[in-house]
Amino acid sequence: MEGSEEGKKKISEAVIRRLPRYYRYLSELLGNNVERISSKELSQSLGITASQVRQDLNQFGGFGQQGYGYNVEYLQKEIGRILGLNQMYSMIIIGAGNLGRAICNHQNFDRRGFHILALFDVNPKRTGGELNNIPVYDMGQLEEYMSKHRIDIAALCIPSSSAQEAAMRLCNCGIKGLWNFSSIELKVPGHVRVENVHLTESLMTLSYAIKESEK
Amino acid sequence: MEGSEEGKKKISEAVIRRLPRYYRYLSELLGNNVERISSKELSQSLGITASQVRQDLNQFGGFGQQGYGYNVEYLQKEIGRILGLNQMYSMIIIGAGNLGRAICNHQNFDRRGFHILALFDVNPKRTGGELNNIPVYDMGQLEEYMSKHRIDIAALCIPSSSAQEAAMRLCNCGIKGLWNFSSIELKVPGHVRVENVHLTESLMTLSYAIKESEK
């Protein structure tokens, strides 16, 4: 099925950003043994309009049937496939501070196919040991490690001041995707994908919403 | 200036999500003593089109001048005002695990006007002391604390299984905004603003991008 239907057209970023939400919610339903769901129910639970739900899902060939709604298991599986969750991804974490440790301890990643294999840090107090049975290496060992392991994703849990340099080293080692928690906009070669989690920006969005609601 | 121009029309969520990026980049420029910038330069640095930049900023009355571009200091200040960053926000953190501690240690929040006043946790091993001079209280003390302090924002750095209950307790105490790091969709009264940082969804978006780039 790789490279079929959904490969032919460009899907908008807004839709792509909603797909993981559908996926998460459908997985919840599956866990509760729900077999089918209407676009109306889906939309109410996710806070988007029913027509938006239908429009989104139609982009991938439309999994729904008039009067029946969507088969939860099928839809979850298909969206998972579109998101690439039928594959395994190997991940390392750069930075073994609080944030790196929080990512390392996160329960959900492994069962979604994201396997954390190692952490790296510049601080000798943090390196040499293990976190959750995952080794913590010195940042100086990065290139050697990368030459021996096929790593897809690196999570950058380091200060902004060192994020760009670390990103370039990872790119030179053939990393495919960077999950960037630093507050800078990374400059990387075009084939490397970057997903930003800009916490300060998220907080500003919240302050805007609070300000607006007080008008 | 409160309730002036920008209060009159509804600004789309996509634009609002871009404003913190403008703000961050303009702050960087200010720090480097850059006085003015063209929409072209702005757009190149942020990876959006120049016409999108002009369109975005025009929504707030347009701060640019033909042939001159934008005055960095003025634009940064105005966007900050729109985002509500000319106010102070008091914040508490629910959960003093790795993620809560990472948020507590974050350098940027305080200088953007977000003051962290306390952490709360259910684990007695974590409570009673201080983190960065910020007290860590037992979750049982939440209501009493909230009755004595005016708190705007609570960051939920706790497992999904306890996030909804904590959210409701905070809503009952008059919280204005919830910064939700748990993976569930919170159900809260309409006047309470929620900003989600769904880490697993962010990671799924990255896996989608990697998969697409390998096609």
Side-chain angles (χ1 to χ4, degrees), chain A residues 21-22 25-26 28-29 34-51 53-54 57 65 67-72 75, chain B residues 185 187:
Chain A
R21 290 176 63 195
Y22 289 119
Y25 184 63
L26 290 163
E28 251 179 60
L29 291 177
V34 178
E35 279 178 28
R36 65 185 197 178
I37 188 166
S38 67
S39 49
K40 195 180 163 188
E41 290 167 291
L42 246 181
S43 73
Q44 283 169 346
S45 303
L46 296 175
I48 37 187
T49 65
S51 78
V53 168
R54 283 190 294 269
L57 302 182
Q65 284 167 44
Y68 173 85
Y70 298 95
N71 177 299
V72 172
L75 187 55
Chain B
E185 216 76 39
K187 289 177 185 66

PDB file of all heavy atoms in Angstrom, chain A residues 21-22 25-26 28-29 34-51 53-54 57 65 67-72 75, chain B residues 185 187:
ATOM      1  N   ARG A  21      -4.385  13.750  16.171  1.00  0.00           N
ATOM      2  CA  ARG A  21      -5.491  13.870  17.132  1.00  0.00           C
ATOM      3  C   ARG A  21      -6.541  12.816  16.841  1.00  0.00           C
ATOM      4  O   ARG A  21      -7.060  12.177  17.746  1.00  0.00           O
ATOM      5  CB  ARG A  21      -6.125  15.262  17.080  1.00  0.00           C
ATOM      6  CG  ARG A  21      -5.231  16.340  17.636  1.00  0.00           C
ATOM      7  CD  ARG A  21      -5.843  17.699  17.491  1.00  0.00           C
ATOM      8  NE  ARG A  21      -7.082  17.852  18.252  1.00  0.00           N
ATOM      9  CZ  ARG A  21      -7.945  18.842  18.064  1.00  0.00           C
ATOM     10  NH1 ARG A  21      -7.725  19.745  17.132  1.00  0.00           N
ATOM     11  NH2 ARG A  21      -9.027  18.933  18.809  1.00  0.00           N
ATOM     12  N   TYR A  22      -6.911  12.644  15.571  1.00  0.00           N
ATOM     13  CA  TYR A  22      -7.844  11.571  15.203  1.00  0.00           C
ATOM     14  C   TYR A  22      -7.279  10.236  15.697  1.00  0.00           C
ATOM     15  O   TYR A  22      -7.985   9.433  16.304  1.00  0.00           O
ATOM     16  CB  TYR A  22      -8.013  11.476  13.680  1.00  0.00           C
ATOM     17  CG  TYR A  22      -8.776  12.606  13.032  1.00  0.00           C
ATOM     18  CD1 TYR A  22      -8.177  13.411  12.073  1.00  0.00           C
ATOM     19  CD2 TYR A  22     -10.107  12.847  13.354  1.00  0.00           C
ATOM     20  CE1 TYR A  22      -8.879  14.446  11.459  1.00  0.00           C
ATOM     21  CE2 TYR A  22     -10.815  13.877  12.745  1.00  0.00           C
ATOM     22  CZ  TYR A  22     -10.190  14.672  11.797  1.00  0.00           C
ATOM     23  OH  TYR A  22     -10.878  15.679  11.189  1.00  0.00           O
ATOM     24  N   TYR A  25      -7.508   9.766  19.452  1.00  0.00           N
ATOM     25  CA  TYR A  25      -8.874   9.575  19.925  1.00  0.00           C
ATOM     26  C   TYR A  25      -9.422   8.210  19.494  1.00  0.00           C
ATOM     27  O   TYR A  25     -10.064   7.502  20.280  1.00  0.00           O
ATOM     28  CB  TYR A  25      -9.773  10.708  19.425  1.00  0.00           C
ATOM     29  CG  TYR A  25     -11.171  10.597  19.970  1.00  0.00           C
ATOM     30  CD1 TYR A  25     -11.399  10.694  21.347  1.00  0.00           C
ATOM     31  CD2 TYR A  25     -12.250  10.358  19.137  1.00  0.00           C
ATOM     32  CE1 TYR A  25     -12.680  10.555  21.862  1.00  0.00           C
ATOM     33  CE2 TYR A  25     -13.530  10.228  19.644  1.00  0.00           C
ATOM     34  CZ  TYR A  25     -13.742  10.327  21.003  1.00  0.00           C
ATOM     35  OH  TYR A  25     -15.004  10.193  21.514  1.00  0.00           O
ATOM     36  N   LEU A  26      -9.125   7.826  18.259  1.00  0.00           N
ATOM     37  CA  LEU A  26      -9.582   6.519  17.769  1.00  0.00           C
ATOM     38  C   LEU A  26      -8.935   5.390  18.578  1.00  0.00           C
ATOM     39  O   LEU A  26      -9.577   4.376  18.858  1.00  0.00           O
ATOM     40  CB  LEU A  26      -9.260   6.370  16.281  1.00  0.00           C
ATOM     41  CG  LEU A  26     -10.095   7.264  15.353  1.00  0.00           C
ATOM     42  CD1 LEU A  26      -9.449   7.378  13.983  1.00  0.00           C
ATOM     43  CD2 LEU A  26     -11.525   6.731  15.234  1.00  0.00           C
ATOM     44  N   GLU A  28      -8.109   5.596  21.698  1.00  0.00           N
ATOM     45  CA  GLU A  28      -8.856   5.591  22.956  1.00  0.00           C
ATOM     46  C   GLU A  28     -10.154   4.796  22.794  1.00  0.00           C
ATOM     47  O   GLU A  28     -10.492   3.957  23.628  1.00  0.00           O
ATOM     48  CB  GLU A  28      -9.256   7.033  23.331  1.00  0.00           C
ATOM     49  CG  GLU A  28      -8.518   7.635  24.508  1.00  0.00           C
ATOM     50  CD  GLU A  28      -8.979   9.068  24.748  1.00  0.00           C
ATOM     51  OE1 GLU A  28     -10.188   9.294  25.013  1.00  0.00           O
ATOM     52  OE2 GLU A  28      -8.129   9.970  24.656  1.00  0.00           O
ATOM     53  N   LEU A  29     -10.886   5.065  21.709  1.00  0.00           N
ATOM     54  CA  LEU A  29     -12.146   4.369  21.444  1.00  0.00           C
ATOM     55  C   LEU A  29     -11.916   2.875  21.323  1.00  0.00           C
ATOM     56  O   LEU A  29     -12.649   2.064  21.896  1.00  0.00           O
ATOM     57  CB  LEU A  29     -12.789   4.893  20.151  1.00  0.00           C
ATOM     58  CG  LEU A  29     -13.326   6.326  20.171  1.00  0.00           C
ATOM     59  CD1 LEU A  29     -13.855   6.706  18.791  1.00  0.00           C
ATOM     60  CD2 LEU A  29     -14.436   6.475  21.212  1.00  0.00           C
ATOM     61  N   VAL A  34     -15.061   0.404  21.304  1.00  0.00           N
ATOM     62  CA  VAL A  34     -16.049   1.055  20.441  1.00  0.00           C
ATOM     63  C   VAL A  34     -15.763   0.630  19.002  1.00  0.00           C
ATOM     64  O   VAL A  34     -14.630   0.707  18.539  1.00  0.00           O
ATOM     65  CB  VAL A  34     -15.967   2.590  20.572  1.00  0.00           C
ATOM     66  CG1 VAL A  34     -16.962   3.267  19.629  1.00  0.00           C
ATOM     67  CG2 VAL A  34     -16.212   3.009  22.018  1.00  0.00           C
ATOM     68  N   GLU A  35     -16.816   0.154  18.295  1.00  0.00           N
ATOM     69  CA  GLU A  35     -16.592  -0.382  16.951  1.00  0.00           C
ATOM     70  C   GLU A  35     -16.754   0.630  15.833  1.00  0.00           C
ATOM     71  O   GLU A  35     -16.071   0.596  14.831  1.00  0.00           O
ATOM     72  CB  GLU A  35     -17.508  -1.577  16.696  1.00  0.00           C
ATOM     73  CG  GLU A  35     -16.960  -2.851  17.309  1.00  0.00           C
ATOM     74  CD  GLU A  35     -17.896  -4.034  17.106  1.00  0.00           C
ATOM     75  OE1 GLU A  35     -18.657  -4.039  16.103  1.00  0.00           O
ATOM     76  OE2 GLU A  35     -17.877  -4.943  17.965  1.00  0.00           O
ATOM     77  N   ARG A  36     -17.745   1.534  16.032  1.00  0.00           N
ATOM     78  CA  ARG A  36     -17.934   2.537  14.979  1.00  0.00           C
ATOM     79  C   ARG A  36     -18.294   3.887  15.564  1.00  0.00           C
ATOM     80  O   ARG A  36     -18.760   3.980  16.700  1.00  0.00           O
ATOM     81  CB  ARG A  36     -18.969   2.074  13.967  1.00  0.00           C
ATOM     82  CG  ARG A  36     -20.354   1.934  14.541  1.00  0.00           C
ATOM     83  CD  ARG A  36     -21.278   1.349  13.481  1.00  0.00           C
ATOM     84  NE  ARG A  36     -22.674   1.577  13.848  1.00  0.00           N
ATOM     85  CZ  ARG A  36     -23.707   1.225  13.116  1.00  0.00           C
ATOM     86  NH1 ARG A  36     -23.526   0.606  11.963  1.00  0.00           N
ATOM     87  NH2 ARG A  36     -24.945   1.478  13.508  1.00  0.00           N
ATOM     88  N   ILE A  37     -18.085   4.925  14.758  1.00  0.00           N
ATOM     89  CA  ILE A  37     -18.342   6.279  15.227  1.00  0.00           C
ATOM     90  C   ILE A  37     -18.764   7.141  14.040  1.00  0.00           C
ATOM     91  O   ILE A  37     -18.280   6.963  12.919  1.00  0.00           O
ATOM     92  CB  ILE A  37     -17.087   6.871  15.927  1.00  0.00           C
ATOM     93  CG1 ILE A  37     -17.422   8.210  16.578  1.00  0.00           C
ATOM     94  CG2 ILE A  37     -15.904   7.007  14.949  1.00  0.00           C
ATOM     95  CD1 ILE A  37     -16.371   8.708  17.556  1.00  0.00           C
ATOM     96  N   SER A  38     -19.702   8.060  14.292  1.00  0.00           N
ATOM     97  CA  SER A  38     -20.141   8.970  13.235  1.00  0.00           C
ATOM     98  C   SER A  38     -19.209  10.167  13.174  1.00  0.00           C
ATOM     99  O   SER A  38     -18.487  10.461  14.136  1.00  0.00           O
ATOM    100  CB  SER A  38     -21.571   9.447  13.514  1.00  0.00           C
ATOM    101  OG  SER A  38     -21.571  10.257  14.678  1.00  0.00           O
ATOM    102  N   SER A  39     -19.222  10.875  12.036  1.00  0.00           N
ATOM    103  CA  SER A  39     -18.379  12.068  11.933  1.00  0.00           C
ATOM    104  C   SER A  39     -18.829  13.106  12.956  1.00  0.00           C
ATOM    105  O   SER A  39     -18.023  13.876  13.463  1.00  0.00           O
ATOM    106  CB  SER A  39     -18.421  12.642  10.512  1.00  0.00           C
ATOM    107  OG  SER A  39     -19.745  12.770  10.064  1.00  0.00           O
ATOM    108  N   LYS A  40     -20.122  13.095  13.289  1.00  0.00           N
ATOM    109  CA  LYS A  40     -20.635  14.048  14.277  1.00  0.00           C
ATOM    110  C   LYS A  40     -20.022  13.789  15.660  1.00  0.00           C
ATOM    111  O   LYS A  40     -19.534  14.710  16.327  1.00  0.00           O
ATOM    112  CB  LYS A  40     -22.165  13.933  14.358  1.00  0.00           C
ATOM    113  CG  LYS A  40     -22.819  15.107  15.075  1.00  0.00           C
ATOM    114  CD  LYS A  40     -24.334  14.934  15.121  1.00  0.00           C
ATOM    115  CE  LYS A  40     -24.935  15.847  16.181  1.00  0.00           C
ATOM    116  NZ  LYS A  40     -26.362  15.568  16.382  1.00  0.00           N
ATOM    117  N   GLU A  41     -20.043  12.518  16.069  1.00  0.00           N
ATOM    118  CA  GLU A  41     -19.453  12.184  17.375  1.00  0.00           C
ATOM    119  C   GLU A  41     -17.959  12.491  17.400  1.00  0.00           C
ATOM    120  O   GLU A  41     -17.436  13.039  18.353  1.00  0.00           O
ATOM    121  CB  GLU A  41     -19.664  10.693  17.696  1.00  0.00           C
ATOM    122  CG  GLU A  41     -21.097  10.315  17.987  1.00  0.00           C
ATOM    123  CD  GLU A  41     -21.279   8.777  17.974  1.00  0.00           C
ATOM    124  OE1 GLU A  41     -21.188   8.156  16.893  1.00  0.00           O
ATOM    125  OE2 GLU A  41     -21.480   8.223  19.061  1.00  0.00           O
ATOM    126  N   LEU A  42     -17.283  12.100  16.310  1.00  0.00           N
ATOM    127  CA  LEU A  42     -15.844  12.362  16.201  1.00  0.00           C
ATOM    128  C   LEU A  42     -15.575  13.851  16.361  1.00  0.00           C
ATOM    129  O   LEU A  42     -14.694  14.266  17.110  1.00  0.00           O
ATOM    130  CB  LEU A  42     -15.341  11.925  14.822  1.00  0.00           C
ATOM    131  CG  LEU A  42     -14.353  10.765  14.720  1.00  0.00           C
ATOM    132  CD1 LEU A  42     -13.971  10.525  13.277  1.00  0.00           C
ATOM    133  CD2 LEU A  42     -13.118  10.995  15.560  1.00  0.00           C
ATOM    134  N   SER A  43     -16.376  14.646  15.657  1.00  0.00           N
ATOM    135  CA  SER A  43     -16.142  16.085  15.640  1.00  0.00           C
ATOM    136  C   SER A  43     -16.412  16.696  17.020  1.00  0.00           C
ATOM    137  O   SER A  43     -15.669  17.544  17.483  1.00  0.00           O
ATOM    138  CB  SER A  43     -17.013  16.752  14.584  1.00  0.00           C
ATOM    139  OG  SER A  43     -18.361  16.772  15.006  1.00  0.00           O
ATOM    140  N   GLN A  44     -17.472  16.221  17.684  1.00  0.00           N
ATOM    141  CA  GLN A  44     -17.778  16.767  19.009  1.00  0.00           C
ATOM    142  C   GLN A  44     -16.668  16.470  20.009  1.00  0.00           C
ATOM    143  O   GLN A  44     -16.299  17.312  20.809  1.00  0.00           O
ATOM    144  CB  GLN A  44     -19.120  16.227  19.507  1.00  0.00           C
ATOM    145  CG  GLN A  44     -20.295  16.916  18.838  1.00  0.00           C
ATOM    146  CD  GLN A  44     -21.623  16.234  19.114  1.00  0.00           C
ATOM    147  OE1 GLN A  44     -21.674  15.105  19.591  1.00  0.00           O
ATOM    148  NE2 GLN A  44     -22.711  16.922  18.808  1.00  0.00           N
ATOM    149  N   SER A  45     -16.139  15.272  19.929  1.00  0.00           N
ATOM    150  CA  SER A  45     -15.093  14.893  20.879  1.00  0.00           C
ATOM    151  C   SER A  45     -13.801  15.655  20.633  1.00  0.00           C
ATOM    152  O   SER A  45     -13.024  15.882  21.551  1.00  0.00           O
ATOM    153  CB  SER A  45     -14.821  13.394  20.794  1.00  0.00           C
ATOM    154  OG  SER A  45     -16.007  12.686  21.036  1.00  0.00           O
ATOM    155  N   LEU A  46     -13.569  16.037  19.391  1.00  0.00           N
ATOM    156  CA  LEU A  46     -12.306  16.694  19.067  1.00  0.00           C
ATOM    157  C   LEU A  46     -12.446  18.200  18.928  1.00  0.00           C
ATOM    158  O   LEU A  46     -11.459  18.904  18.704  1.00  0.00           O
ATOM    159  CB  LEU A  46     -11.721  16.099  17.779  1.00  0.00           C
ATOM    160  CG  LEU A  46     -11.326  14.623  17.874  1.00  0.00           C
ATOM    161  CD1 LEU A  46     -10.877  14.102  16.520  1.00  0.00           C
ATOM    162  CD2 LEU A  46     -10.204  14.427  18.893  1.00  0.00           C
ATOM    163  N   GLY A  47     -13.680  18.692  19.040  1.00  0.00           N
ATOM    164  CA  GLY A  47     -13.887  20.136  18.966  1.00  0.00           C
ATOM    165  C   GLY A  47     -13.665  20.717  17.582  1.00  0.00           C
ATOM    166  O   GLY A  47     -13.215  21.851  17.429  1.00  0.00           O
ATOM    167  N   ILE A  48     -13.941  19.930  16.539  1.00  0.00           N
ATOM    168  CA  ILE A  48     -13.918  20.462  15.177  1.00  0.00           C
ATOM    169  C   ILE A  48     -15.262  20.154  14.538  1.00  0.00           C
ATOM    170  O   ILE A  48     -16.009  19.319  15.048  1.00  0.00           O
ATOM    171  CB  ILE A  48     -12.758  19.874  14.320  1.00  0.00           C
ATOM    172  CG1 ILE A  48     -12.518  18.392  14.648  1.00  0.00           C
ATOM    173  CG2 ILE A  48     -11.483  20.648  14.515  1.00  0.00           C
ATOM    174  CD1 ILE A  48     -11.295  17.798  13.967  1.00  0.00           C
ATOM    175  N   THR A  49     -15.604  20.821  13.426  1.00  0.00           N
ATOM    176  CA  THR A  49     -16.927  20.613  12.841  1.00  0.00           C
ATOM    177  C   THR A  49     -17.002  19.264  12.124  1.00  0.00           C
ATOM    178  O   THR A  49     -15.990  18.737  11.653  1.00  0.00           O
ATOM    179  CB  THR A  49     -17.279  21.725  11.819  1.00  0.00           C
ATOM    180  OG1 THR A  49     -16.368  21.616  10.723  1.00  0.00           O
ATOM    181  CG2 THR A  49     -17.162  23.101  12.445  1.00  0.00           C
ATOM    182  N   ALA A  50     -18.229  18.728  12.049  1.00  0.00           N
ATOM    183  CA  ALA A  50     -18.423  17.423  11.396  1.00  0.00           C
ATOM    184  C   ALA A  50     -18.039  17.497   9.920  1.00  0.00           C
ATOM    185  O   ALA A  50     -17.486  16.536   9.375  1.00  0.00           O
ATOM    186  CB  ALA A  50     -19.881  16.970  11.553  1.00  0.00           C
ATOM    187  N   SER A  51     -18.303  18.627   9.289  1.00  0.00           N
ATOM    188  CA  SER A  51     -17.962  18.726   7.863  1.00  0.00           C
ATOM    189  C   SER A  51     -16.445  18.768   7.684  1.00  0.00           C
ATOM    190  O   SER A  51     -15.917  18.250   6.703  1.00  0.00           O
ATOM    191  CB  SER A  51     -18.634  19.938   7.217  1.00  0.00           C
ATOM    192  OG  SER A  51     -17.944  21.121   7.528  1.00  0.00           O
ATOM    193  N   VAL A  53     -14.350  17.173   9.653  1.00  0.00           N
ATOM    194  CA  VAL A  53     -13.942  15.771   9.817  1.00  0.00           C
ATOM    195  C   VAL A  53     -14.119  15.017   8.495  1.00  0.00           C
ATOM    196  O   VAL A  53     -13.194  14.345   8.025  1.00  0.00           O
ATOM    197  CB  VAL A  53     -14.777  15.075  10.928  1.00  0.00           C
ATOM    198  CG1 VAL A  53     -14.573  13.558  10.902  1.00  0.00           C
ATOM    199  CG2 VAL A  53     -14.412  15.630  12.299  1.00  0.00           C
ATOM    200  N   ARG A  54     -15.289  15.170   7.891  1.00  0.00           N
ATOM    201  CA  ARG A  54     -15.555  14.447   6.640  1.00  0.00           C
ATOM    202  C   ARG A  54     -14.584  14.877   5.545  1.00  0.00           C
ATOM    203  O   ARG A  54     -14.035  14.048   4.818  1.00  0.00           O
ATOM    204  CB  ARG A  54     -17.009  14.675   6.189  1.00  0.00           C
ATOM    205  CG  ARG A  54     -18.009  13.850   6.994  1.00  0.00           C
ATOM    206  CD  ARG A  54     -19.404  13.899   6.372  1.00  0.00           C
ATOM    207  NE  ARG A  54     -19.972  15.249   6.430  1.00  0.00           N
ATOM    208  CZ  ARG A  54     -20.722  15.709   7.428  1.00  0.00           C
ATOM    209  NH1 ARG A  54     -21.022  14.922   8.457  1.00  0.00           N
ATOM    210  NH2 ARG A  54     -21.199  16.937   7.403  1.00  0.00           N
ATOM    211  N   LEU A  57     -11.021  13.432   6.245  1.00  0.00           N
ATOM    212  CA  LEU A  57     -10.877  11.998   6.019  1.00  0.00           C
ATOM    213  C   LEU A  57     -11.103  11.634   4.560  1.00  0.00           C
ATOM    214  O   LEU A  57     -10.561  10.646   4.067  1.00  0.00           O
ATOM    215  CB  LEU A  57     -11.792  11.217   6.954  1.00  0.00           C
ATOM    216  CG  LEU A  57     -11.530  11.498   8.453  1.00  0.00           C
ATOM    217  CD1 LEU A  57     -12.438  10.646   9.325  1.00  0.00           C
ATOM    218  CD2 LEU A  57     -10.070  11.257   8.831  1.00  0.00           C
ATOM    219  N   GLN A  65     -18.927   5.331   5.680  1.00  0.00           N
ATOM    220  CA  GLN A  65     -20.055   4.887   4.876  1.00  0.00           C
ATOM    221  C   GLN A  65     -21.291   5.633   5.336  1.00  0.00           C
ATOM    222  O   GLN A  65     -21.531   5.751   6.537  1.00  0.00           O
ATOM    223  CB  GLN A  65     -20.296   3.389   5.067  1.00  0.00           C
ATOM    224  CG  GLN A  65     -19.302   2.509   4.330  1.00  0.00           C
ATOM    225  CD  GLN A  65     -19.406   1.072   4.821  1.00  0.00           C
ATOM    226  OE1 GLN A  65     -20.497   0.555   4.983  1.00  0.00           O
ATOM    227  NE2 GLN A  65     -18.273   0.459   5.060  1.00  0.00           N
ATOM    228  N   GLY A  67     -24.576   6.701   6.701  1.00  0.00           N
ATOM    229  CA  GLY A  67     -25.516   6.065   7.623  1.00  0.00           C
ATOM    230  C   GLY A  67     -24.872   5.102   8.595  1.00  0.00           C
ATOM    231  O   GLY A  67     -25.492   4.680   9.569  1.00  0.00           O
ATOM    232  N   TYR A  68     -23.616   4.777   8.370  1.00  0.00           N
ATOM    233  CA  TYR A  68     -22.918   3.850   9.264  1.00  0.00           C
ATOM    234  C   TYR A  68     -21.878   4.597  10.085  1.00  0.00           C
ATOM    235  O   TYR A  68     -21.690   4.348  11.272  1.00  0.00           O
ATOM    236  CB  TYR A  68     -22.230   2.740   8.445  1.00  0.00           C
ATOM    237  CG  TYR A  68     -21.345   1.836   9.268  1.00  0.00           C
ATOM    238  CD1 TYR A  68     -21.880   0.737   9.947  1.00  0.00           C
ATOM    239  CD2 TYR A  68     -19.962   2.080   9.381  1.00  0.00           C
ATOM    240  CE1 TYR A  68     -21.065  -0.085  10.703  1.00  0.00           C
ATOM    241  CE2 TYR A  68     -19.147   1.261  10.143  1.00  0.00           C
ATOM    242  CZ  TYR A  68     -19.703   0.181  10.807  1.00  0.00           C
ATOM    243  OH  TYR A  68     -18.894  -0.639  11.562  1.00  0.00           O
ATOM    244  N   GLY A  69     -21.230   5.546   9.440  1.00  0.00           N
ATOM    245  CA  GLY A  69     -20.132   6.242  10.102  1.00  0.00           C
ATOM    246  C   GLY A  69     -18.820   5.567   9.766  1.00  0.00           C
ATOM    247  O   GLY A  69     -18.670   4.983   8.694  1.00  0.00           O
ATOM    248  N   TYR A  70     -17.912   5.620  10.692  1.00  0.00           N
ATOM    249  CA  TYR A  70     -16.578   5.074  10.441  1.00  0.00           C
ATOM    250  C   TYR A  70     -16.339   3.836  11.295  1.00  0.00           C
ATOM    251  O   TYR A  70     -16.722   3.803  12.462  1.00  0.00           O
ATOM    252  CB  TYR A  70     -15.506   6.117  10.763  1.00  0.00           C
ATOM    253  CG  TYR A  70     -15.602   7.350   9.918  1.00  0.00           C
ATOM    254  CD1 TYR A  70     -16.290   8.475  10.378  1.00  0.00           C
ATOM    255  CD2 TYR A  70     -15.011   7.400   8.661  1.00  0.00           C
ATOM    256  CE1 TYR A  70     -16.384   9.623   9.592  1.00  0.00           C
ATOM    257  CE2 TYR A  70     -15.100   8.540   7.872  1.00  0.00           C
ATOM    258  CZ  TYR A  70     -15.785   9.647   8.347  1.00  0.00           C
ATOM    259  OH  TYR A  70     -15.876  10.768   7.567  1.00  0.00           O
ATOM    260  N   ASN A  71     -15.689   2.860  10.708  1.00  0.00           N
ATOM    261  CA  ASN A  71     -15.228   1.707  11.468  1.00  0.00           C
ATOM    262  C   ASN A  71     -13.958   2.135  12.199  1.00  0.00           C
ATOM    263  O   ASN A  71     -12.962   2.501  11.576  1.00  0.00           O
ATOM    264  CB  ASN A  71     -14.951   0.539  10.513  1.00  0.00           C
ATOM    265  CG  ASN A  71     -14.406  -0.673  11.252  1.00  0.00           C
ATOM    266  OD1 ASN A  71     -13.345  -0.609  11.875  1.00  0.00           O
ATOM    267  ND2 ASN A  71     -15.136  -1.764  11.189  1.00  0.00           N
ATOM    268  N   VAL A  72     -14.038   2.104  13.536  1.00  0.00           N
ATOM    269  CA  VAL A  72     -12.975   2.665  14.370  1.00  0.00           C
ATOM    270  C   VAL A  72     -11.636   1.976  14.116  1.00  0.00           C
ATOM    271  O   VAL A  72     -10.613   2.631  13.895  1.00  0.00           O
ATOM    272  CB  VAL A  72     -13.348   2.589  15.869  1.00  0.00           C
ATOM    273  CG1 VAL A  72     -12.166   2.993  16.742  1.00  0.00           C
ATOM    274  CG2 VAL A  72     -14.551   3.480  16.164  1.00  0.00           C
ATOM    275  N   LEU A  75     -10.276   2.760  10.575  1.00  0.00           N
ATOM    276  CA  LEU A  75      -9.865   4.157  10.454  1.00  0.00           C
ATOM    277  C   LEU A  75      -8.577   4.425  11.225  1.00  0.00           C
ATOM    278  O   LEU A  75      -7.658   5.090  10.748  1.00  0.00           O
ATOM    279  CB  LEU A  75     -10.999   5.072  10.953  1.00  0.00           C
ATOM    280  CG  LEU A  75     -10.823   6.575  10.766  1.00  0.00           C
ATOM    281  CD1 LEU A  75     -10.555   6.930   9.312  1.00  0.00           C
ATOM    282  CD2 LEU A  75     -12.074   7.321  11.255  1.00  0.00           C
TER     283      LEU A  75
ATOM    284  N   GLU B 185      -7.630  15.208  25.943  1.00  0.00           N
ATOM    285  CA  GLU B 185      -8.372  16.423  25.611  1.00  0.00           C
ATOM    286  C   GLU B 185      -9.166  16.791  26.872  1.00  0.00           C
ATOM    287  O   GLU B 185     -10.051  16.065  27.286  1.00  0.00           O
ATOM    288  CB  GLU B 185      -9.326  16.092  24.452  1.00  0.00           C
ATOM    289  CG  GLU B 185      -9.543  17.182  23.437  1.00  0.00           C
ATOM    290  CD  GLU B 185      -8.370  17.355  22.463  1.00  0.00           C
ATOM    291  OE1 GLU B 185      -7.769  16.351  22.030  1.00  0.00           O
ATOM    292  OE2 GLU B 185      -8.077  18.511  22.146  1.00  0.00           O
ATOM    293  N   LYS B 187     -11.795  18.423  29.450  1.00  0.00           N
ATOM    294  CA  LYS B 187     -13.142  18.999  29.426  1.00  0.00           C
ATOM    295  C   LYS B 187     -13.221  20.049  30.534  1.00  0.00           C
ATOM    296  O   LYS B 187     -13.132  19.707  31.720  1.00  0.00           O
ATOM    297  CB  LYS B 187     -14.185  17.897  29.638  1.00  0.00           C
ATOM    298  CG  LYS B 187     -14.297  16.981  28.428  1.00  0.00           C
ATOM    299  CD  LYS B 187     -15.288  15.844  28.674  1.00  0.00           C
ATOM    300  CE  LYS B 187     -15.280  14.874  27.497  1.00  0.00           C
ATOM    301  NZ  LYS B 187     -13.994  14.139  27.349  1.00  0.00           N
TER     302      LYS B 187
END
